[in-house]
Amino acid sequence: MRYWKYMKIIFLVLLSAIIVTLTVQKVPYDQFKYLMNNSLVEHLLHEEPCACGKHCLAASDDNWFSERFRDHVHPLLSLNNSVLSDNIFNWWKTLQSTKSKANYSQVIQKLFSVIPGEDRYRDVGPSRCRTCAVVGNSGNLVGSFYGPLIDNHDFVMRMNKAPVEGYEKDVGNKTTHRFFYPESAIHLDNNTHLVVLPFKLLDIQWITSALSDGSVKRTRFKVIDKLQTNKDMVMIMHPAFIYYVRTTWLHLRRSYPSTGFLVLMFALHICDEVSVFGFGANTKGAWHHYFEEMPKKFRRTGKHPGGLEHQIILELQKRNLIDLYAGW
Ligand code: C5P
């Protein structure tokens, strides 16, 4: 009799612990079912690195990935991390040399008087499951009907001037983040995050000016001088992050990574699950677009190591680290 009384107490204590844990971790019903099917006790004892059922990118134990992925290199510039080592600053200066003689620290100070300077997306943890769609501009999206699938992600990241209107069935209509540099800028609505890719100091001066007095009118050529976008949602990719992608992932090949590859790397760093759409050259090896005819001048992959980037994307897919949708 006494034995059963103790057993009942132990059972009730265990049950309460399970309910409290599930409530604190905000585990939804489908995940609760998943936990039940996958040894509940094991999951309660070992806290998951994120709340996605499938995989949690940052916690991957894949060796090939771990050799390249540097968790501590944050993709965004903030007031806390804006200092650049001489090594990186000197490399960055040569990237797209322009005549800017401005002082880096003053440029950064001015930047963060216009846009927020706080750290963002440092929220990885057991209660987060952030799914992201990275949408490149490849012509392989035409006829794909990926639209609803793309829109089904928490974050939908698009780049440069790629339009959505008129292409919804293939590319979706949700955009949470748009990435561009001054020469590929477009006006944005009030709810889209802008991530500027700075390939030179003048690019940071441009965004500061484009959100204030409009004094910078040219970079490498004439650019938008007054940008419509929500200042509070503007972010800048960290030059040290571009350097890391070029050195650690691309082994210094060609001048610098493509916009698409940088966005994919950004997503690997801030998302738990990443799906990739709109990447891939045409049969002639050229980067064609889903929204325009191929320009007369034959354009392969520009200054970017397109072949190597593609191999890496395929490797990430092979290792089940991303879901690659290859289009048509
Ligand atoms: O051409 P654009 O740079 O605007 O395209 C955005 C990105 O999409 C590229 O930087 C590249 O990474 C990717 N892309 C691709 N295949 C194409 C076109 C673009 O992988 N055919």
Side-chain angles (χ1 to χ4, degrees):
M1 243 350 238
R2 212 165 202 198
Y3 171 76
W4 279 111
K5 201 172 150 191
Y6 285 133
M7 286 302 281
K8 251 161 89 184
I9 293 172
I10 292 171
F11 176 76
L12 283 175
V13 169
L14 267 176
L15 192 66
S16 318
I18 290 169
I19 290 169
V20 168
T21 311
L22 291 176
T23 314
V24 168
Q25 296 198 351
K26 295 197 184 99
V27 177
Y29 178 63
D30 55 341
Q31 254 176 286
F32 176 70
K33 263 188 359 205
Y34 170 81
L35 287 174
M36 295 303 278
N37 291 337
N38 291 274
S39 167
L40 180 58
V41 176
E42 199 184 314
H43 278 274
L44 289 175
L45 291 179
H46 301 283
E47 199 174 45
E48 291 292 323
C50 81
C52 299
K54 206 163 144 204
H55 39 57
C56 303
L57 262 169
S60 167
D61 55 6
D62 180 287
N63 278 342
W64 175 88
F65 185 66
S66 316
E67 275 164 23
R68 291 160 178 80
F69 187 77
R70 304 280 181 272
D71 207 6
H72 61 275
V73 186
H74 195 61
L76 292 170
L77 201 58
S78 75
L79 271 171
N80 283 334
N81 70 6
S82 65
V83 176
L84 284 185
S85 68
D86 287 349
N87 185 20
I88 295 179
F89 187 65
N90 289 333
W91 165 78
W92 191 49
K93 266 197 324 206
T94 61
L95 211 53
Q96 283 184 0
S97 44
T98 46
K99 293 191 185 80
S100 175
K101 295 236 177 335
N103 173 288
Y104 174 76
S105 336
Q106 283 169 8
V107 169
I108 295 297
Q109 214 179 8
K110 205 162 167 202
L111 169 76
F112 289 126
S113 69
V114 174
I115 66 165
E118 81 244 23
D119 288 321
R120 302 202 200 214
Y121 304 130
R122 292 196 184 264
D123 53 352
V124 62
S127 61
R128 189 187 84 176
C129 176
R130 178 179 295 141
T131 62
C132 298
V134 176
V135 188
N137 294 347
S138 172
N140 70 22
L141 284 168
V142 176
S144 66
F145 290 95
Y146 286 153
L149 190 59
I150 290 175
D151 286 347
N152 208 18
H153 291 77
D154 298 324
F155 285 2
V156 177
M157 305 180 180
R158 303 186 192 270
M159 51 203 85
N160 298 336
K161 294 177 191 276
V164 164
E165 218 182 299
Y167 302 90
E168 291 87 346
K169 72 174 174 29
D170 292 332
V171 308
N173 59 18
K174 173 173 169 183
T175 306
T176 60
H177 295 70
R178 189 170 284 268
F179 295 70
F180 56 60
Y181 42 92
E183 297 85 1
S184 66
I186 54 170
H187 297 296
L188 301 182
D189 63 35
N190 238 12
N191 302 316
T192 305
H193 290 280
L194 162 60
V195 183
V196 177
L197 305 181
F199 295 117
K200 50 192 173 303
L201 190 55
L202 185 55
D203 294 352
I204 299 185
Q205 293 172 273
W206 166 76
I207 188 64
T208 311
S209 141
L211 298 174
S212 52
D213 62 3
S215 58
V216 177
K217 300 194 186 299
R218 290 185 74 86
T219 54
R220 285 189 298 150
F221 46 79
K222 198 165 179 294
V223 288
I224 294 179
D225 55 354
K226 287 250 182 188
L227 188 70
Q228 288 158 29
T229 190
N230 182 342
K231 274 187 209 184
D232 294 333
M233 296 179 84
V234 176
M235 298 169 257
I236 313 290
M237 187 173 277
H238 204 303
F241 186 77
I242 303 177
Y243 181 81
Y244 143 73
V245 173
R246 178 180 181 252
T247 49
T248 311
W249 284 89
L250 298 173
H251 313 304
L252 311 174
R253 297 270 177 85
R254 308 291 294 258
S255 298
Y256 47 94
S258 72
T259 307
F261 197 74
L262 285 170
V263 180
L264 170 58
M265 289 294 134
F266 176 90
L268 293 183
H269 278 252
I270 70 149
C271 307
D272 300 304
E273 286 184 7
V274 174
S275 308
V276 177
F277 304 84
F279 280 71
N282 66 9
T283 48
K284 291 180 178 161
W287 274 351
H288 58 329
H289 288 154
Y290 68 82
F291 48 88
E292 62 185 5
E293 288 296 315
M294 201 55 203
K296 288 235 165 56
K297 206 169 133 217
F298 186 73
R299 201 176 60 108
R300 288 181 76 87
T301 61
K303 290 179 166 204
H304 312 300
L308 178 59
E309 289 184 2
H310 194 63
Q311 275 172 32
I312 294 174
I313 293 171
L314 294 180
E315 195 65 36
L316 287 165
Q317 156 82 347
K318 197 175 106 192
R319 291 168 185 273
N320 213 15
L321 293 157
I322 58 170
D323 286 319
L324 175 63
Y325 294 85
W328 297 92

